Amino acid sequence: MAEPTELLWLARTFGDTVLERWSHLVSLETPSGDADRAAVFGRELAAGLSATADRVEQPPGPGGDHLVAYWNGRESADDGSPAGHTLLVAHSDTVFPAETVARRPFTLAEDGDTVTGPGVFDMKGSLVAVELAMDLLSRTSTTPRRPVRLVVVNDEEIGSPDGSRLVAQHAEGAHAVLGLEPPLPGGALKIGRRGVARVRLRVSGVSAHAGLDAALGVSAIDELVDQLAGLRATAAALPDAALNVGTISGGTRANVVADHAEAEIGLRYATAETERALMTALLEPRPVRERARLSAEKLSHRPAWAMDPANPLAAELTTLAAALGLSLPLGSSGGAGDTNLTGALGIPTVDGLGPAGAGAHGEDEHASLSSLLERAALIATYLHTH
């Protein structure tokens, strides 16, 4: 069995191999919802993980196949380890449209550490780190203490409308959840996330001639404007709430009272109490105009995962990192991800275990090779010892 420092030393010998693998995964583009490209990427990822995994499955979804990989834990219970598996959560999709890599290919900077390219930070570097972590354990004849499951969904960047069911399914019975999303600035782990939701609000009114018979009509647009003003007031009264009207449409012509209107609204909230208040206001709307009809549809939803400074899983990881000579700060994220679900369920959860970097979703997206190697060693050490 390998010592933690041995795993870190070994990881650092794989720089060239990691760069080659990282470049290859970035070259296989995976825009959300592209089932054909998801299939190509999924086959490649499954092949890489199969080198160490005991089983790899690719459950289907509307946007293509997801992936679940399994590794057995030590069979003997002589060490007194309790039941439960360790769940690793990741995603394969990126926000970039196909052909982005032709314009902005995977590149290693002159410093020999910084890599750039679409998806290097969010989050194909994390997938390479997991492959390396499991390879480190295999090469040192080291078995994870507990069974390990890796869930890689292909729709996280659009809210995991299908992938969330897989995360929920495999979270059942989990001892701990390690999220492989990119870390906060400075490489900090995430021990809390704001919740997010998208809701479509539709209004039906009554059309009429805007000049001759305006009183006979009911303007769906006017009703929608009043509803949105009320929702903004509700959000403003809650200290941890944010509301954004992302799209709005309705009506036909300036001389016709609009008989339809709708808006897509984004919500963010840090606590379950604020979430309930916002969702009640949106999903149970009351019309201002007597003949207006309202309907609301929840498009996506992630619960708030409140930050706990005493997070025991984070304490374990920071202790392990210190033993490796690594610093591991902690923080809370304003964005949401698949670990919102497991954190909100009360399962010990930490996210942000991907390699350090910055610029997610942007032209300057970049990540650190040395950080990837360190994170792989940290993940392998945790899986072996916990």
Side-chain angles (χ1 to χ4, degrees), residues 254-323:
N255 61 351
V256 179
V257 175
D259 66 354
H260 67 278
E262 67 177 56
E264 185 174 319
I265 303 161
L267 304 173
R268 294 184 184 272
Y269 36 84
T271 65
E273 293 75 18
T274 297
E275 176 185 349
R276 282 193 292 269
L278 287 173
M279 296 305 287
T280 296
L282 257 172
L283 298 179
E284 301 175 14
R286 297 182 179 181
V288 175
R289 291 155 183 79
E290 183 177 349
R291 291 184 291 158
R293 298 292 179 264
L294 307 178
S295 64
E297 176 188 6
K298 187 189 297 184
L299 302 175
S300 66
H301 167 251
R302 283 172 168 153
W305 166 27
M307 179 175 173
D308 177 10
N311 184 311
L313 177 57
E316 292 168 350
L317 286 165
T318 52
T319 298
L320 289 177

Side-chain angles (χ1 to χ4, degrees), residues 108-192:
L108 176 65
E110 291 183 0
D111 63 8
D113 185 63
T114 304
V115 301
T116 58
V120 293
F121 182 53
D122 189 11
M123 59 180 300
K124 290 182 177 176
S126 302
L127 300 175
V128 178
V130 171
E131 287 186 345
L132 178 58
M134 305 315 294
D135 188 46
L136 294 174
L137 294 178
S138 177
R139 286 174 181 271
T140 56
S141 300
T142 302
T143 305
R145 181 181 181 187
R146 302 172 188 272
V148 177
R149 299 184 200 175
L150 167 65
V151 173
V152 183
V153 304
N154 63 21
D155 58 357
E156 191 277 339
E157 294 292 6
I158 55 173
S160 300
D162 183 65
S164 59
R165 65 178 175 83
L166 279 181
V167 176
Q169 174 187 337
H170 292 281
E172 187 173 348
H175 165 76
V177 178
L178 304 183
L180 301 173
E181 286 280 1
L184 295 168
L189 297 185
K190 302 169 182 178
I191 56 172

Side-chain angles (χ1 to χ4, degrees), residues 17-246:
T17 302
V18 161
L19 285 172
E20 183 179 356
R21 181 63 170 168
W22 206 348
S23 175
H24 184 53
L25 293 188
V26 168
S27 74
L28 300 177
E29 295 176 294
T30 48
S32 304
D34 191 324
D36 291 339
R37 284 184 167 84
V40 172
F41 186 88
R43 287 194 295 270
E44 179 60 34
L45 185 61
L49 293 168
S50 293
T52 60
D54 293 289
R55 187 168 88 254
V56 177
E57 300 174 349
Q58 292 181 269
D65 291 348
H66 306 288
L67 183 145
V68 183
Y70 302 79
W71 291 264
N72 297 329
R74 296 198 286 272
E75 294 183 357
S76 173
D78 293 341
D79 63 355
S81 60
H85 60 279
T86 301
L87 177 61
L88 309 180
V89 177
H91 66 86
S92 59
D93 60 324
T94 71
V95 301
F96 302 102
E99 310 303 332
T100 301
V101 74
R103 177 175 58 83
R104 195 156 54 88
F106 181 93
T107 303
L108 176 65
E110 291 183 0
D111 63 8
D113 185 63
T114 304
V115 301
T116 58
V120 293
F121 182 53
D122 189 11
M123 59 180 300
K124 290 182 177 176
S126 302
L127 300 175
V128 178
V130 171
E131 287 186 345
L132 178 58
M134 305 315 294
D135 188 46
L136 294 174
L137 294 178
S138 177
R139 286 174 181 271
T140 56
S141 300
T142 302
T143 305
R145 181 181 181 187
R146 302 172 188 272
V148 177
R149 299 184 200 175
L150 167 65
V151 173
V152 183
V153 304
N154 63 21
D155 58 357
E156 191 277 339
E157 294 292 6
I158 55 173
S160 300
D162 183 65
S164 59
R165 65 178 175 83
L166 279 181
V167 176
Q169 174 187 337
H170 292 281
E172 187 173 348
H175 165 76
V177 178
L178 304 183
L180 301 173
E181 286 280 1
L184 295 168
L189 297 185
K190 302 169 182 178
I191 56 172
R193 282 182 174 275
R194 291 176 84 183
V196 300
R198 290 186 304 119
V199 176
R200 180 179 291 120
L201 179 61
R202 287 192 172 100
V203 182
S204 296
V206 178
S207 63
H209 192 292
L212 301 178
D213 297 314
L216 300 179
V218 177
S219 173
I221 290 178
D222 287 350
E223 178 70 26
L224 180 60
V225 169
D226 289 344
Q227 290 291 328
L228 295 177
L231 290 169
R232 291 177 69 86
T234 298
L238 300 167
D240 60 329
L243 180 148
N244 179 61
V245 181

